[in-house]
Amino acid sequence: MEFKKIQLNGFKSFAEKTNFLIEDGLTGIVGPNGCGKSNIVESLRWCMGENSAKSMRGSGMEDVIFSGTSNRPSKNISEVSLLLDNQTKEGPAQYREFDELTIRRKIEKDKGSKYYINEKEVRARDVQTFFADLSTGA
């Protein structure tokens, strides 16, 4: 199972929908200080089930929602999706029939987080177990 794409929308410094393709070979994140490199890595961990606001460099989990700038208003929702290639059918047993899997986490102000696997709402524990079964983790 391989990561193919990360899609961010309203996550930290990414106000608009932004896609990062993970191609074959080595994919690196390069840029000047303050451009959001660490936010991309944090989005990956967050979508994989990270629940510690402190490890996300915030005081509360809602701090991952885009807070606005002088030119852009703040958002009420933050969302991260991970597209996984499952051609090798190595994932957890209940997902082996799928060639691609989408893991999505969405947080709304004052409503908390929701997790989805292939657009079906699941518990946070299900997503954490999914990645634990792959020998990866947040």
PDB file of all heavy atoms in Angstrom, residues 82-95:
ATOM      1  N   LEU A  82      -6.276  11.485   2.331  1.00  0.00           N
ATOM      2  CA  LEU A  82      -5.128  10.713   1.860  1.00  0.00           C
ATOM      3  C   LEU A  82      -5.635   9.678   0.867  1.00  0.00           C
ATOM      4  O   LEU A  82      -6.563   8.920   1.173  1.00  0.00           O
ATOM      5  CB  LEU A  82      -4.444   9.982   3.006  1.00  0.00           C
ATOM      6  CG  LEU A  82      -3.925  10.808   4.171  1.00  0.00           C
ATOM      7  CD1 LEU A  82      -3.387   9.899   5.264  1.00  0.00           C
ATOM      8  CD2 LEU A  82      -2.847  11.755   3.686  1.00  0.00           C
ATOM      9  N   LEU A  83      -5.044   9.657  -0.315  1.00  0.00           N
ATOM     10  CA  LEU A  83      -5.370   8.640  -1.303  1.00  0.00           C
ATOM     11  C   LEU A  83      -4.281   7.585  -1.260  1.00  0.00           C
ATOM     12  O   LEU A  83      -3.091   7.903  -1.389  1.00  0.00           O
ATOM     13  CB  LEU A  83      -5.475   9.253  -2.697  1.00  0.00           C
ATOM     14  CG  LEU A  83      -5.780   8.280  -3.829  1.00  0.00           C
ATOM     15  CD1 LEU A  83      -7.179   7.674  -3.654  1.00  0.00           C
ATOM     16  CD2 LEU A  83      -5.659   8.965  -5.172  1.00  0.00           C
ATOM     17  N   LEU A  84      -4.680   6.343  -1.043  1.00  0.00           N
ATOM     18  CA  LEU A  84      -3.741   5.228  -0.939  1.00  0.00           C
ATOM     19  C   LEU A  84      -3.958   4.257  -2.084  1.00  0.00           C
ATOM     20  O   LEU A  84      -5.094   3.906  -2.399  1.00  0.00           O
ATOM     21  CB  LEU A  84      -3.928   4.490   0.392  1.00  0.00           C
ATOM     22  CG  LEU A  84      -3.806   5.335   1.654  1.00  0.00           C
ATOM     23  CD1 LEU A  84      -4.293   4.560   2.853  1.00  0.00           C
ATOM     24  CD2 LEU A  84      -2.377   5.769   1.854  1.00  0.00           C
ATOM     25  N   ASP A  85      -2.876   3.817  -2.693  1.00  0.00           N
ATOM     26  CA  ASP A  85      -2.924   2.802  -3.732  1.00  0.00           C
ATOM     27  C   ASP A  85      -2.890   1.434  -3.062  1.00  0.00           C
ATOM     28  O   ASP A  85      -1.982   1.141  -2.282  1.00  0.00           O
ATOM     29  CB  ASP A  85      -1.720   2.979  -4.658  1.00  0.00           C
ATOM     30  CG  ASP A  85      -1.711   1.996  -5.807  1.00  0.00           C
ATOM     31  OD1 ASP A  85      -2.524   1.055  -5.811  1.00  0.00           O
ATOM     32  OD2 ASP A  85      -0.870   2.175  -6.702  1.00  0.00           O
ATOM     33  N   ASN A  86      -3.873   0.600  -3.355  1.00  0.00           N
ATOM     34  CA  ASN A  86      -3.960  -0.720  -2.734  1.00  0.00           C
ATOM     35  C   ASN A  86      -3.953  -1.821  -3.799  1.00  0.00           C
ATOM     36  O   ASN A  86      -4.611  -2.840  -3.658  1.00  0.00           O
ATOM     37  CB  ASN A  86      -5.225  -0.803  -1.872  1.00  0.00           C
ATOM     38  CG  ASN A  86      -5.249  -2.029  -0.998  1.00  0.00           C
ATOM     39  OD1 ASN A  86      -4.217  -2.532  -0.586  1.00  0.00           O
ATOM     40  ND2 ASN A  86      -6.443  -2.533  -0.719  1.00  0.00           N
ATOM     41  N   GLN A  87      -3.202  -1.618  -4.884  1.00  0.00           N
ATOM     42  CA  GLN A  87      -3.119  -2.609  -5.959  1.00  0.00           C
ATOM     43  C   GLN A  87      -2.575  -3.939  -5.455  1.00  0.00           C
ATOM     44  O   GLN A  87      -2.940  -5.002  -5.955  1.00  0.00           O
ATOM     45  CB  GLN A  87      -2.228  -2.091  -7.096  1.00  0.00           C
ATOM     46  CG  GLN A  87      -2.727  -0.831  -7.754  1.00  0.00           C
ATOM     47  CD  GLN A  87      -3.898  -1.065  -8.684  1.00  0.00           C
ATOM     48  OE1 GLN A  87      -4.063  -2.147  -9.216  1.00  0.00           O
ATOM     49  NE2 GLN A  87      -4.728  -0.054  -8.852  1.00  0.00           N
ATOM     50  N   THR A  88      -1.706  -3.879  -4.460  1.00  0.00           N
ATOM     51  CA  THR A  88      -1.072  -5.104  -3.946  1.00  0.00           C
ATOM     52  C   THR A  88      -1.956  -5.844  -2.948  1.00  0.00           C
ATOM     53  O   THR A  88      -1.595  -6.930  -2.508  1.00  0.00           O
ATOM     54  CB  THR A  88       0.268  -4.767  -3.271  1.00  0.00           C
ATOM     55  OG1 THR A  88       0.029  -3.832  -2.213  1.00  0.00           O
ATOM     56  CG2 THR A  88       1.253  -4.180  -4.273  1.00  0.00           C
ATOM     57  N   LYS A  89      -3.092  -5.236  -2.584  1.00  0.00           N
ATOM     58  CA  LYS A  89      -4.064  -5.856  -1.657  1.00  0.00           C
ATOM     59  C   LYS A  89      -3.430  -6.224  -0.316  1.00  0.00           C
ATOM     60  O   LYS A  89      -3.720  -7.253   0.268  1.00  0.00           O
ATOM     61  CB  LYS A  89      -4.702  -7.101  -2.280  1.00  0.00           C
ATOM     62  CG  LYS A  89      -5.248  -6.904  -3.667  1.00  0.00           C
ATOM     63  CD  LYS A  89      -6.391  -5.924  -3.687  1.00  0.00           C
ATOM     64  CE  LYS A  89      -6.976  -5.858  -5.088  1.00  0.00           C
ATOM     65  NZ  LYS A  89      -7.724  -4.679  -5.353  1.00  0.00           N
ATOM     66  N   GLU A  90      -2.565  -5.342   0.186  1.00  0.00           N
ATOM     67  CA  GLU A  90      -1.867  -5.598   1.448  1.00  0.00           C
ATOM     68  C   GLU A  90      -2.544  -4.960   2.657  1.00  0.00           C
ATOM     69  O   GLU A  90      -2.112  -5.153   3.768  1.00  0.00           O
ATOM     70  CB  GLU A  90      -0.428  -5.064   1.373  1.00  0.00           C
ATOM     71  CG  GLU A  90       0.433  -5.775   0.375  1.00  0.00           C
ATOM     72  CD  GLU A  90       1.788  -5.116   0.216  1.00  0.00           C
ATOM     73  OE1 GLU A  90       1.933  -3.935   0.574  1.00  0.00           O
ATOM     74  OE2 GLU A  90       2.694  -5.790  -0.279  1.00  0.00           O
ATOM     75  N   GLY A  91      -3.586  -4.209   2.441  1.00  0.00           N
ATOM     76  CA  GLY A  91      -4.233  -3.507   3.539  1.00  0.00           C
ATOM     77  C   GLY A  91      -4.985  -4.449   4.462  1.00  0.00           C
ATOM     78  O   GLY A  91      -5.000  -5.668   4.261  1.00  0.00           O
ATOM     79  N   PRO A  92      -5.632  -3.888   5.473  1.00  0.00           N
ATOM     80  CA  PRO A  92      -6.448  -4.696   6.373  1.00  0.00           C
ATOM     81  C   PRO A  92      -7.502  -5.489   5.590  1.00  0.00           C
ATOM     82  O   PRO A  92      -7.978  -5.053   4.538  1.00  0.00           O
ATOM     83  CB  PRO A  92      -7.105  -3.656   7.291  1.00  0.00           C
ATOM     84  CG  PRO A  92      -6.157  -2.496   7.271  1.00  0.00           C
ATOM     85  CD  PRO A  92      -5.587  -2.478   5.884  1.00  0.00           C
ATOM     86  N   ALA A  93      -7.858  -6.645   6.104  1.00  0.00           N
ATOM     87  CA  ALA A  93      -8.702  -7.608   5.382  1.00  0.00           C
ATOM     88  C   ALA A  93      -9.987  -6.999   4.818  1.00  0.00           C
ATOM     89  O   ALA A  93     -10.354  -7.278   3.672  1.00  0.00           O
ATOM     90  CB  ALA A  93      -9.033  -8.774   6.306  1.00  0.00           C
ATOM     91  N   GLN A  94     -10.674  -6.146   5.583  1.00  0.00           N
ATOM     92  CA  GLN A  94     -11.953  -5.619   5.110  1.00  0.00           C
ATOM     93  C   GLN A  94     -11.809  -4.622   3.962  1.00  0.00           C
ATOM     94  O   GLN A  94     -12.805  -4.233   3.354  1.00  0.00           O
ATOM     95  CB  GLN A  94     -12.772  -5.011   6.257  1.00  0.00           C
ATOM     96  CG  GLN A  94     -12.197  -3.752   6.858  1.00  0.00           C
ATOM     97  CD  GLN A  94     -11.310  -4.002   8.057  1.00  0.00           C
ATOM     98  OE1 GLN A  94     -10.555  -4.957   8.091  1.00  0.00           O
ATOM     99  NE2 GLN A  94     -11.389  -3.131   9.043  1.00  0.00           N
ATOM    100  N   TYR A  95     -10.574  -4.206   3.630  1.00  0.00           N
ATOM    101  CA  TYR A  95     -10.358  -3.246   2.549  1.00  0.00           C
ATOM    102  C   TYR A  95      -9.566  -3.831   1.391  1.00  0.00           C
ATOM    103  O   TYR A  95      -9.210  -3.114   0.462  1.00  0.00           O
ATOM    104  CB  TYR A  95      -9.650  -1.995   3.094  1.00  0.00           C
ATOM    105  CG  TYR A  95     -10.442  -1.315   4.173  1.00  0.00           C
ATOM    106  CD1 TYR A  95     -10.019  -1.347   5.501  1.00  0.00           C
ATOM    107  CD2 TYR A  95     -11.629  -0.653   3.881  1.00  0.00           C
ATOM    108  CE1 TYR A  95     -10.758  -0.735   6.502  1.00  0.00           C
ATOM    109  CE2 TYR A  95     -12.376  -0.044   4.878  1.00  0.00           C
ATOM    110  CZ  TYR A  95     -11.934  -0.091   6.183  1.00  0.00           C
ATOM    111  OH  TYR A  95     -12.667   0.511   7.166  1.00  0.00           O
TER     112      TYR A  95
END
